[in-house]
């Protein structure tokens, strides 16, 4: 890409990461390189490539041409110096912790993060001698106070899964910087189309690429972006521990990302329309969407995000029994543990984001049992609303 002018997000979604790599037989698409290893004709060149003194690849657990193109595309979209990929989103998160945290370190985060992340905080990190302090998500003062006590890392997820709360990255990053802490932000819900956390003071951005980035629910992957120095540490940890992104998944994610900007713009618009419609429905008790003016963090979202995202959640009268009644009636929505794809996907946290957690753990995280997570697809929004209307009519 030209350094004289930064291309827009839609352009980078298509061309990012694809102009710096040799194309085979003049192909216009990045090829899928399935080779496990890469051969050399002399030891010196082989050795130099292995030591990263010359460009090239040695073994696909470490680097791979198709995977590198995916990493570079995300890197450009996030405005990062470097990126490294992983086999899934949770691998990106757990490897970030593994690479950067040591016994005796302290991490500050929020209570209602994604269920898998919450399990790392409550079940896996403490036995390793890492202190975890989880704060009330909506209380920036509490987070700042805990950070001020000292920590190695501040970990944020915004918007949160599934409560769709929004954290002020810039404000909290300043608090972390004051004590020399690293700031890691899960940007899966927002995507780089709506938010660029690095520009707001974050040090590392992580994504579950299986969600909005790929967009077609057909490839698992994760990615982390940041400075050369930090990403080199994450890459080294991942190359040794082996949570490698497969070339075919990298290709599927690359292909999906070509429409990332178009998809997210459509999902932003549809989610806003659906949130407003749900808010006026008589059986809907609560709608969580940062684009709504009465959302607790609407002002933060308005200042921080270019769009409010395709994710929303809502509760209905009758709780879980009502959910069991109306969700199966939806015709244009998968009941599945996924999000961010072209099809609309729905489900309560008890079987999606927080299925690993007990009811008590979900309650402690501020997640009601009667909540519905709604991932807006790119269908005609009039059809989605009509579908919701007929399904909700079964609740009396």
């Amino acid at each position: 890409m030209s350094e004289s002018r930064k291309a827009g997000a839609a352009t980078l979604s298509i061309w990012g990461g694809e102009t710096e790599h040799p194309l085979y037989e003049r192909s216009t698409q990045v090829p899928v390189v399935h080779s496990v290893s890469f051969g050399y004709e002399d030891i010196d060149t082989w050795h130099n490539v292995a030591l990263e003194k010359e460009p090239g690849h040695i073994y696909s657990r470490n680097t791979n041409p198709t995977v590198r193109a995916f990493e570079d595309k995300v890197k450009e979209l996030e405005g990062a110096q470097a990126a490294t990929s992983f086999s899934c989103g949770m691998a990106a998160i757990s490897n970030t912790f593994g690479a950067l945290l040591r016994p005796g370190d302290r991490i500050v985060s929020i209570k209602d993060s994604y269920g898998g992340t919450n399990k790392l905080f409550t079940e896996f990190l403490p036995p390793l001698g890492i202190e975890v302090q989880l704060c009330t998500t909506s209380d920036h003062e509490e987070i700042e106070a805990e950070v001020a006590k000292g920590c190695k890392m501040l970990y944020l997820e915004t918007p949160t899964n599934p409560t769709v709360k929004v954290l002020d990255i810039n404000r909290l990053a300043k608090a972390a910087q004051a004590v020399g802490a690293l700031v890691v932000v899960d940007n899966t819900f927002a995507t780089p189309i709506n938010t660029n956390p690095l520009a707001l003071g974050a040090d590392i951005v992580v994504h579950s690429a299986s969600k909005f980035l790929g967009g077609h629910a057909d490839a698992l992957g994760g990615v982390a972006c940041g400075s050369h120095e930090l990403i080199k540490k994450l890459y080294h940890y991942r190359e040794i521990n082996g949570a490698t992104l497969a070339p075919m998944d990298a290709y599927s994610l690359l292909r999906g990302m070509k429409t990332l900007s178009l998809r997210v713009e459509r999902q932003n618009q549809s989610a806003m329309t659906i949130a407003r419609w749900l808010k006026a429905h008589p059986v809907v008790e609560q709608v969580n969407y940062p684009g709504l003016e009465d959302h607790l963090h609407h002002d933060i979202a308005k200042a921080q995000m270019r769009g409010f995202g395709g994710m929303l959640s809502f509760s209905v009268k009758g709780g879980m029994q009502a959910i069991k009644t109306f969700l199966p009636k939806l015709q244009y929505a998968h009941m599945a543990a996924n999000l961010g794809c072209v099809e609309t996907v729905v489900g309560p946290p008890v079987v999606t984001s927080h299925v690993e957690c007990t009811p008590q753990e979900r309650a402690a995280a501020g997640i009601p049992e009667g909540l519905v997570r709604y991932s807006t697809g790119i269908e005609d929004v009039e059809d989605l609303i009509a579908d919701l209307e007929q399904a909700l009519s079964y609740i009396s």
Side-chain angles (χ1 to χ4, degrees), residues 71-84:
E71 294 168 343
D72 286 351
K73 188 182 290 292
V74 182
K75 175 189 73 175
E76 293 193 34
L77 280 163
E78 285 289 11
Q81 291 180 356
T84 192

Side-chain angles (χ1 to χ4, degrees), residues 290 297-306 308:
H297 306 129
H298 175 69
D299 290 341
I300 297 173
K302 191 174 179 180
Q304 181 171 285
M305 304 177 73
R306 293 180 288 272
F308 298 113

